[in-house]
Amino acid sequence: MRTPSFALRLPALFLSALGLTVGASAQQLEVHVINVDQGLSVFIKGPTGVRLLVDGANPGDGTSIVRPFLLSKGVTGLDYSVMTHWHTDHFGGLTDIHNSTYKPLVAAFDRGDTSRPSNGFVTSYLSAVGTRRVIATLGQVIDLGGGATATVITRDGNYIGGSVSPSGDENAHSLGLVVRYGDFDLYVAGDLTAGGLGTPNVEGPASAWLGQVEVAVASHHGSSSSSSSTVCNNLNPSMVVHSAGHDNPYGHPSEVTVNNWNTSAATRVQWCTTDGETQQPSLGGDPGGFAGVLGHILITSDGNTFRAS
């Protein structure tokens, strides 16, 4: 893995991978953004060991990438999973996971059945989760132990305080979460849309309700459908993480999105699990402004500070 170097402001008490460490006695929240190429999978371990997996990337990735990663960390089971929406680059690998020894002990949350697609991937997922399936409710709090929580802030175009019609756009249905531990907040919302490329603007008002966070996982792999300038200003994180494939055919993370996060008023650390699209200028190839770390990204927090490596 290549570790980038950077300089940044510290309004959120960010501790860089090259700098300070937190107190050894403090309980830690762990957030692992797994390098699944063009997809998303985020493993979260609460301070007391509660295990939550958000998405599992593409079909086959659960077996070839996510499960080996979990085993490498000594994780042999899950307490919860969250499937953000019915696109296979998010839920396909969860089917593999749930068909192995990683069926959640408590609940497998998803966004529900409104405009749910009908295909073999969906049928296989539903069969894999079985009786563990729970349709998440807006405002639902998942207890991660030790004072850490994951709260559902969007679902099916609804956000806390209002709603926007998803207009048949599956991404706009995405189930979004804020993970909180003390003063540390992390935002992850699948492929939630913000009005770019003609999509419904759910992320704008949802981020206005949420406000400032320390870390944001950019929605939709850094697509310009998401992460509008309004969203970036509302969330105002110290760090942004993109999960996008190397030389992917979509130009993720896009130049528009990278620039929305990087402004003259607040230039932010941006890491991507890969170098993103590097070959095709028409897709925004290699826009710069972010560091491709070529590996998994770990974020830890003691509730007062956080560290990325």
Side-chain angles (χ1 to χ4, degrees):
M1 171 177 153
R2 189 172 68 207
T3 301
S5 60
F6 50 81
L8 64 143
R9 59 192 177 86
L10 302 174
L13 299 178
F14 181 92
L15 300 181
S16 82
L18 306 177
L20 303 175
T21 58
V22 297
S25 62
Q27 289 183 305
Q28 297 288 305
L29 172 76
E30 297 180 11
V31 179
H32 301 261
V33 181
I34 305 171
N35 180 13
V36 292
D37 204 64
Q38 187 65 20
L40 180 69
S41 187
V42 180
F43 173 67
I44 300 166
K45 184 177 178 181
T48 60
V50 177
R51 303 153 300 179
L52 165 66
L53 182 66
V54 180
D55 289 342
N58 283 282
D61 288 345
T63 299
S64 64
I65 301 174
V66 180
R67 189 172 187 274
F69 173 81
L70 294 176
L71 286 172
S72 75
K73 300 301 178 184
V75 179
T76 57
L78 296 173
D79 299 291
Y80 300 98
S81 66
V82 168
M83 187 269 280
T84 60
H85 65 298
W86 298 105
H87 277 161
T88 53
D89 60 326
H90 290 256
F91 81 86
L94 281 178
T95 301
D96 309 331
I97 288 292
H98 296 332
N99 276 330
S100 67
T101 56
Y102 289 92
K103 183 174 291 188
L105 296 174
V106 183
F109 294 101
D110 64 59
R111 74 154 187 85
D113 298 322
T114 303
S115 301
R116 189 187 78 196
S118 178
N119 55 53
F121 293 114
V122 172
T123 301
S124 295
Y125 172 83
L126 294 174
S127 176
V129 296
T131 59
R132 297 288 197 277
R133 185 191 184 205
V134 176
I135 297 174
T137 58
L138 196 65
Q140 181 162 15
V141 177
I142 303 169
D143 186 357
L144 299 177
T149 59
T151 302
V152 177
I153 61 170
T154 66
R155 201 206 80 181
D156 282 340
N158 300 297
Y159 57 92
I160 297 177
S163 65
V164 174
S165 171
S167 302
D169 188 322
E170 179 58 30
N171 291 331
H173 285 272
S174 288
L175 191 158
L177 298 174
V178 57
V179 176
R180 289 184 165 127
Y181 181 43
D183 291 331
F184 174 79
D185 299 322
L186 175 134
Y187 170 79
V188 56
D191 284 352
L192 195 64
T193 54
L197 305 178
T199 60
N201 183 13
V202 187
E203 197 173 30
S207 63
W209 173 86
L210 178 58
Q212 194 268 330
V213 300
E214 279 61 62
V215 179
V217 178
S219 298
H220 202 183
H221 321 287
S223 168
S224 54
S225 66
S226 309
S227 305
S228 66
S229 57
T230 297
V231 169
C232 298
N233 290 334
N234 287 339
L235 296 178
N236 192 25
S238 294
M239 182 178 190
V240 179
V241 176
H242 303 284
S243 179
H246 178 63
D247 288 340
N248 65 83
Y250 313 106
H252 297 161
S254 75
E255 183 175 5
V256 169
T257 297
V258 171
N259 288 344
N260 282 344
W261 289 114
N262 278 338
T263 67
S264 57
T267 299
R268 301 175 174 95
V269 172
Q270 294 190 59
W271 284 2
C272 184
T273 50
T274 75
D275 281 331
E277 165 52 43
T278 65
Q279 301 297 319
Q280 302 181 65
S282 64
L283 296 177
D286 196 14
F290 69 91
V293 301
L294 313 187
H296 313 302
I297 296 171
L298 169 63
I299 299 157
T300 60
S301 176
D302 64 354
N304 293 308
T305 59
F306 75 96
R307 174 188 175 108
S309 58

